[in-house]
Amino acid sequence: MSSHYGKRLKISIFGQSHSPAIGVSIDGLPAGLALDLDELQTFLRRRAPGQSDISTPRAEDDAPEILSGLAGGLTCGAPLAAIIRNTDAQSADYHEIRDRPRPSHADYAAHVKFGGHHDAAGGGHFSGRLTAPLCLAGGICLQILRGHGIDICAHILRIGGAEDGAFDPAGVSARDFEAVRGHPLPVIRREAGEAMRLQILDARDKGDSVGGIVECAAIGLPAGLGDPMFDGVENRVAGLVFGIPAVKGLEFGSGFAAAGRRGAENNDGFYMDGDNIRTRTNHSGGILGGITSGMPVIFRAAFKPTPSIGLEQESVSLSRKENARLKVKGRHDPCIVPRAVPVVEAAAAVALYDAYLDR
């Protein structure tokens, strides 16, 4: 499996949804950095399950255990390794899916890839549970980036038919971030959050699920991060964001909307803001030729509906080679988007800090 990422900052994620623990190793952290473990726990709690009626009832504390990489409360130059224990797994719920793969889940592809030897319980290594160690790494990178004046925040742009306002691509600020963080659901407009909640509850009550879009912004980034061709900032961010289960689309700046515009409309004109060079618009999403321009980096990730739903679905019996019906058991999110918001922030933080170290 390819469960590692990074050029200067290298992370490796391990474990399965129902293994004793999941974890991450982070190699390349500079020595002498103070980490706030309480702040890290608060960040991890945003992703943790079992906290509301719109998420899975699986209850996990997601309390990290740091095994190495710290000495006297500071990073010591050695790889930082940490685990998060799985304490509320119910593997018996997944016995049937070893023979009857869930539609639109990784079950069938994993069966073929690994000859039936993969861990199917809870989705194994393909589970969204593995985003917890990604958040662990990302939460650390967020703290370090803030020390350099760089901040990252994401919000729910859409769930089903309910939509929030978007960040101002050229003017998003720390004040906007604080407003998002102050809402029960991470949204810009509180009324949009309530409409999204109703969409999720309606899907849950019908035994179904619903997808959505997360928008993320990074501010304070200097110009000049990233490289052209295959090591651009879009490439680096995409490599991690597409590692988040259920992500099926990604766009930077105006994204696909740019395809319907002319250059005069989509180009970002430059101007002098004191001694700084800025652009009046930010259709490029803060990235030109794979390199940061100094404007906010803006991207959006589209999440499909959770494949594990309560309705009976079409499947096949892998052992009998015949059509079959499947009704998924277990505990699942009717919408993974609210819990995915900190995961998107974490992915962006790891990718951007890796680029920052490589500048």
Side-chain angles (χ1 to χ4, degrees):
M1 290 185 179
S2 181
S3 304
H4 57 274
Y5 170 92
K7 187 176 179 182
R8 294 288 297 276
L9 182 76
K10 299 178 180 179
I11 70 169
S12 179
I13 290 175
F14 58 88
Q16 297 106 254
S17 179
H18 289 191
S19 59
I22 51 180
V24 62
S25 173
I26 311 169
D27 195 357
L29 290 172
L33 299 177
L35 300 181
D36 186 332
L37 298 183
D38 290 334
E39 181 181 330
L40 179 60
Q41 179 66 77
T42 298
F43 182 70
L44 289 169
R45 195 172 294 119
R46 290 174 54 200
R47 192 222 66 93
Q51 300 189 84
S52 75
D53 57 355
I54 60 173
S55 74
T56 171
R58 178 175 176 175
E60 298 284 0
D61 291 333
D62 282 2
E65 300 178 29
I66 308 296
L67 305 180
S68 66
L70 293 181
L74 304 175
T75 57
C76 63
L80 190 150
I83 61 170
I84 296 171
R85 297 193 183 276
N86 292 322
T87 60
D88 190 29
Q90 295 181 9
S91 300
D93 290 338
Y94 295 86
H95 177 74
E96 188 176 21
I97 68 169
R98 293 205 63 86
D99 186 59
R100 299 184 187 185
R102 289 168 287 181
S104 292
H105 202 283
D107 299 332
Y108 171 66
H111 174 85
V112 175
K113 175 76 174 178
F114 302 110
H117 298 293
H118 65 291
D119 183 0
H125 195 66
F126 296 89
S127 171
R129 181 77 183 132
L130 273 296
T131 60
L134 174 57
C135 279
L136 202 161
I140 290 171
C141 292
L142 281 167
Q143 290 187 30
I144 299 171
L145 286 170
R146 288 191 189 112
H148 295 287
I150 299 165
D151 199 6
I152 298 170
C153 181
H155 73 107
I156 306 170
L157 182 63
R158 181 188 301 166
I159 289 178
E163 189 163 352
D164 193 16
F167 284 138
D168 178 352
V172 61
S173 67
R175 181 177 296 179
D176 299 319
F177 288 1
E178 289 307 311
V180 166
R181 291 164 180 158
H183 290 167
L185 277 178
V187 291
I188 294 173
R189 298 184 296 110
R190 186 179 295 271
E191 61 270 22
E194 182 55 31
M196 292 172 183
R197 184 174 179 276
L198 293 176
Q199 291 266 327
I200 297 171
L201 293 175
D202 181 62
R204 183 203 66 181
D205 293 344
K206 293 175 179 176
D208 213 340
S209 62
V210 63
I213 298 173
V214 173
E215 181 179 57
C216 186
I219 59 175
L221 286 164
L225 303 185
D227 296 284
M229 296 294 289
F230 307 120
D231 225 4
V233 171
E234 293 107 329
N235 311 53
R236 293 182 183 218
V237 171
L240 272 166
V241 172
F242 274 119
I244 302 171
V247 171
K248 299 301 288 185
L250 183 62
E251 65 176 8
F252 291 83
S254 58
F256 285 97
R261 297 174 179 166
R262 296 194 176 188
E265 179 187 3
N266 197 66
N267 288 350
D268 299 315
F270 292 103
Y271 75 99
M272 294 302 302
D273 181 16
D275 292 331
N276 299 315
I277 297 174
R278 294 178 55 83
T279 58
R280 299 195 183 280
T281 55
N282 190 20
H283 298 303
S284 65
I287 304 167
L288 299 168
I291 301 169
T292 56
S293 66
M295 295 294 289
V297 167
I298 304 275
F299 68 89
R300 288 166 291 281
F303 288 80
K304 69 181 181 182
T306 314
S308 297
I309 60 177
L311 300 174
E312 189 175 68
Q313 302 177 80
E314 290 184 334
S315 185
V316 295
S317 169
L318 297 173
S319 61
R320 297 194 300 271
K321 304 295 184 185
E322 64 184 25
N323 294 329
R325 305 290 294 182
L326 173 69
K327 189 168 185 179
V328 177
K329 300 176 183 177
R331 302 161 295 173
H332 308 282
D333 290 273
C335 179
I336 59 97
V337 176
R339 292 176 55 216
V341 170
V343 184
V344 172
E345 293 175 359
V350 172
L352 293 173
Y353 186 49
D354 187 36
Y356 188 87
L357 288 172
D358 197 38
R359 71 193 190 282

